[in-house]
Amino acid sequence: LLDDIVLTHSLFLPTERFLQQLHQQYPGAPWGATRVGTRVGEEGPPAHWEEGSGLRRKRAVLAVLLHFLETYKGLLQEEESAGKVIKELYLLIMKDTSLYHELEDEIIKLHQLVETVELKVADETPPPNKQVKPLFRHFRRIDSCLQTRVAFRGSDEIFCRVYMPDHSYVTIRSRLSASVQDILTSVTEKLQYSEEQSSRGDALILVTMASSGEKAVLQPSEECVFTTLGINSHLFACTKDTFDSLVPLPEEIQVVPGDTEIHRAEPEADVANHLTAFHWELFRCIHELEFVDYVFHGERGRRETANLELLLQRCSEVQHWVGTELLLCEGLGKRAHLLKKLIKIAAICKQNQDMLSFYAIVIGLNNAAVSRLRLTWEKLPGKFKNLFRKFENLTVGERNHKTYREVLAKMKPPLIPFVPLILKGEEGSQGLPLSLELEASPAQLQTKAYVRQLRVIDNQNLLFELSYKLEPGSQ
């Protein structure tokens, strides 16, 4: 990791000058040191590192990374590849926090820097109540998960990737409300696609591709197409001749059974509270007119519903997260324990008046690929079986969701309603700001990063394959 950071840093600063600065700021660190008696180019760690411990090495890496972010965060806001390196390093470091408690101060500082790395650096300190808006953002929630969410507008500029049939891609900067033709124009410029190629009938078309393989051609006049993408859907540019050859990107999640972060996250309240905090950020960005536009205009005619679309995408994502985590858990006992944990998380979300998370988790547990796991459900303690039955009764749609409406009527704002029901005529209120006291400890920050960057399988056929592999005979 240290080599990678030094290499990245040297792109911005000559190596000799970089090392001089590090010697001045961190005189005891092993930058560029060569072990006594070792020729240049000969393998072997420096003397400092032979004497040091894992903790010292971690601290050295953090020192460089913090210095890098402090120095160049103004440049990183427009450099996608550098931002990706920082985020990957951040997530790796967060996974290590349980082993190195002594790094707590550095990790908290790192988290604060990562949260602001995509924000516009103002000349003056903004007023306390004024939100600092990102200069450019990825529209997909998972690409900017660590920043506090602020509302999108159609005129906002965002980064997006457009893939080619061979799965290479170009990154373009575009207005959120851009038309398909505008996007294709930017792509052709990036690819240096000639007018001659277009006139020969090789003109590019824009296609949406889901992880299941389902694809659709977008019409040139369509606008706001970013808001219509599913969880693991992507935009592809191709010619009409290559349309049939398009295949989905490799699964964004490695379908490898084993423990994930949810197994290490304790207690359940931490996961539930971070779900609620994040969903409140997304919910408060929605303007009332977005609901009107969503309900009264066709799917391709919506113009200003980006924030609502993001929250609806998150509802679907949490539902698939439940199934993904359970179906990647091979051991029966461990899977039953995880099932109990998810029911606990749903209960705490309900106490938080976060009905969006509550509903999404319960619906996820009712996914056919999960509900058929008879052995897993039988191993669940009776107390939790009864609790889940009550949750199911609350989420059924009988008599226009009468039970849900009665529960909601007893809640005082602030609350987060289950937004899909609002679109069907139910009422919800934002009311006062929702505030949860969340510590800034490394463990909490690790849970925060996990909750805001869920990797899920949204391909139902694949979920069924995993389900039948776990319990072939269950019904």
Side-chain angles (χ1 to χ4, degrees):
L1 289 179
L2 183 58
D3 289 342
D4 290 341
I5 294 173
V6 172
L7 177 61
T8 304
H9 206 327
S10 65
L11 296 177
F12 298 90
L13 196 66
T15 303
E16 289 302 319
R17 187 178 164 201
F18 172 46
L19 293 175
Q20 287 173 6
Q21 286 195 8
L22 290 176
H23 273 299
Q24 291 171 4
Q25 295 200 20
Y26 311 103
W31 317 120
T34 305
R35 188 175 59 191
V36 177
T38 303
R39 295 191 182 93
V40 175
E42 187 175 311
E43 294 186 3
H48 292 286
W49 282 51
E50 285 187 329
E51 300 165 4
S53 63
L55 174 63
R56 289 180 59 192
R57 299 183 189 188
K58 299 284 181 183
R59 184 161 277 143
V61 173
L62 274 170
V64 180
L65 185 55
L66 289 171
H67 181 51
F68 179 51
L69 286 172
E70 286 277 16
T71 307
Y72 295 111
K73 62 183 178 183
L75 296 174
L76 289 173
Q77 56 191 7
E78 294 192 44
E79 181 52 54
E80 181 191 12
S81 57
K84 183 179 179 182
V85 170
I86 298 302
K87 186 180 293 184
E88 288 177 352
L89 285 170
Y90 169 79
L91 293 174
L92 286 170
I93 290 168
M94 293 305 297
K95 289 181 179 179
D96 243 3
T97 54
S98 59
L99 300 177
Y100 298 95
H101 300 291
E102 298 88 344
L103 298 177
E104 182 168 342
D105 292 341
E106 289 97 331
I107 288 173
I108 290 175
K109 185 178 180 183
L110 171 64
H111 179 80
Q112 293 168 344
L113 282 169
V114 170
E115 278 195 320
T116 60
V117 75
E118 286 185 1
L119 299 184
K120 183 176 180 179
V121 182
D123 295 331
E124 298 178 355
T125 303
N129 296 328
K130 183 180 178 182
Q131 286 184 316
V132 181
K133 225 179 168 185
L135 181 61
F136 296 107
R137 295 177 287 177
H138 290 270
F139 177 68
R140 293 177 72 244
R141 177 207 48 72
I142 203 166
D143 288 324
S144 56
C145 65
L146 301 174
Q147 287 73 41
T148 300
R149 296 313 299 244
V150 294
F152 275 105
R153 294 291 175 259
S155 58
D156 288 348
E157 287 196 296
I158 61 170
F159 288 122
C160 71
R161 288 179 180 176
V162 180
Y163 290 85
M164 305 298 120
D166 63 356
H167 291 176
S168 61
Y169 65 87
V170 294
T171 301
I172 64 170
R173 185 183 296 169
S174 171
R175 285 177 296 105
L176 185 59
S177 59
S179 68
V180 169
Q181 187 58 58
D182 292 337
I183 296 170
L184 285 173
T185 298
S186 297
V187 172
T188 54
E189 289 176 356
K190 279 269 188 169
L191 295 174
Q192 298 182 334
Y193 204 72
S194 67
E195 293 183 6
E196 181 184 347
Q197 286 173 298
S198 297
S199 63
R200 290 203 313 259
D202 294 336
L204 294 176
I205 58 176
L206 198 64
V207 178
T208 60
M209 169 77 77
S211 62
S212 62
E214 184 179 354
K215 52 192 174 185
V217 178
L218 300 174
Q219 298 306 310
S221 60
E222 292 183 38
E223 298 180 334
C224 301
V225 296
F226 303 109
T227 67
T228 65
L229 295 176
I231 302 170
N232 292 329
S233 297
H234 299 86
L235 291 176
F236 279 77
C238 66
T239 63
K240 291 181 180 179
D241 291 340
T242 57
F243 173 79
D244 291 335
S245 67
L246 292 182
V247 295
L249 295 176
E251 291 295 335
E252 293 190 358
I253 182 174
Q254 290 185 351
V255 188
V256 179
D259 288 357
T260 60
E261 195 61 41
I262 186 65
H263 296 277
R264 294 183 284 273
E266 297 288 352
E268 291 83 0
D270 289 347
V271 177
N273 290 341
H274 280 290
L275 281 170
T276 298
F278 185 40
H279 295 163
W280 177 255
E281 283 182 24
L282 294 171
F283 182 61
R284 72 179 180 183
C285 290
I286 303 173
H287 192 279
E288 290 85 346
L289 291 177
E290 292 193 44
F291 291 101
V292 177
D293 196 17
Y294 188 94
V295 172
F296 291 101
H297 292 82
E299 183 176 337
R300 301 299 184 190
R302 303 170 191 150
R303 291 188 57 82
E304 295 290 343
T305 60
N307 304 292
L308 176 55
E309 299 273 5
L310 272 177
L311 190 62
L312 292 174
Q313 183 191 95
R314 175 64 173 184
C315 288
S316 177
E317 183 180 64
V318 173
Q319 293 172 33
H320 286 100
W321 163 66
V322 170
T324 300
E325 292 287 10
L326 282 168
L327 295 171
L328 289 180
C329 185
E330 285 190 311
L332 177 58
K334 187 172 287 187
R335 192 163 60 249
H337 178 74
L338 178 56
L339 177 58
K340 183 174 76 171
K341 176 180 280 192
L342 289 166
I343 293 172
K344 279 186 181 180
I345 292 171
I348 298 169
C349 287
K350 183 172 176 288
Q351 291 174 3
N352 289 342
Q353 301 197 140
D354 175 10
M355 299 307 288
L356 185 142
S357 300
F358 168 77
Y359 246 83
I361 292 172
V362 174
I363 293 173
L365 291 173
N366 270 319
N367 184 301
V370 174
S371 61
R372 66 167 297 279
L373 299 174
R374 178 178 54 81
L375 299 178
T376 304
W377 286 94
E378 285 179 353
K379 205 168 181 62
L380 188 68
K383 172 185 174 182
F384 287 91
K385 289 178 182 176
N386 294 332
L387 182 60
F388 184 69
R389 288 193 195 100
K390 292 179 181 178
F391 290 169
E392 284 183 302
N393 292 334
L394 182 57
T395 57
V396 294
E398 294 179 357
R399 299 175 63 185
N400 196 23
H401 298 275
K402 179 176 180 294
T403 307
Y404 168 75
R405 288 188 290 110
E406 289 175 347
V407 170
L408 209 65
K410 296 176 183 178
M411 294 181 175
K412 295 181 180 180
L415 60 90
I416 308 176
F418 184 57
V419 173
L421 289 187
I422 297 179
L423 301 176
K424 294 181 180 179
E426 303 296 333
E427 295 184 357
S429 173
Q430 285 171 292
L432 302 172
L434 188 152
S435 179
L436 293 171
E437 293 185 6
L438 299 172
E439 298 178 12
S441 67
Q444 289 285 349
L445 297 178
Q446 187 175 2
T447 302
K448 176 182 178 180
Y450 165 71
V451 163
R452 292 173 178 239
Q453 188 157 308
L454 301 177
R455 297 282 182 174
V456 305
I457 300 171
D458 65 340
N459 184 336
Q460 188 64 31
N461 290 333
L462 182 53
L463 291 175
F464 269 120
E465 287 179 20
L466 293 169
S467 179
Y468 279 100
K469 184 177 179 181
L470 291 173
E471 297 187 24
S474 296
Q475 297 295 326

